[in-house]
Amino acid sequence: MKINYARKVAGKYYRDVRAGLHNPPMDDATTILLAKTVLSIKL
């Protein structure tokens, strides 16, 4: 069962990365998210 779960998780990450290549996030939203993450501000 663990192998099946790991494959599902890996498959989800793969799809997310592939989707991001074709549909990149908005630059301003990305910059704000990264800044908040670096500064440890709650989202």
Side-chain angles (χ1 to χ4, degrees):
M1 288 290 191
K2 285 187 178 183
I3 294 173
N4 192 22
Y5 174 75
R7 291 175 84 185
K8 287 182 181 181
V9 171
K12 180 184 180 311
Y13 289 145
Y14 177 77
R15 286 190 307 273
D16 290 347
V17 169
R18 294 289 299 171
L21 293 174
H22 298 289
N23 302 307
M26 297 177 297
D27 288 340
D28 56 340
T30 304
T31 304
I32 292 169
L33 177 63
L34 289 174
K36 286 182 177 181
T37 302
V38 169
L39 297 173
S40 299
I41 298 173
K42 282 193 170 184
L43 300 175

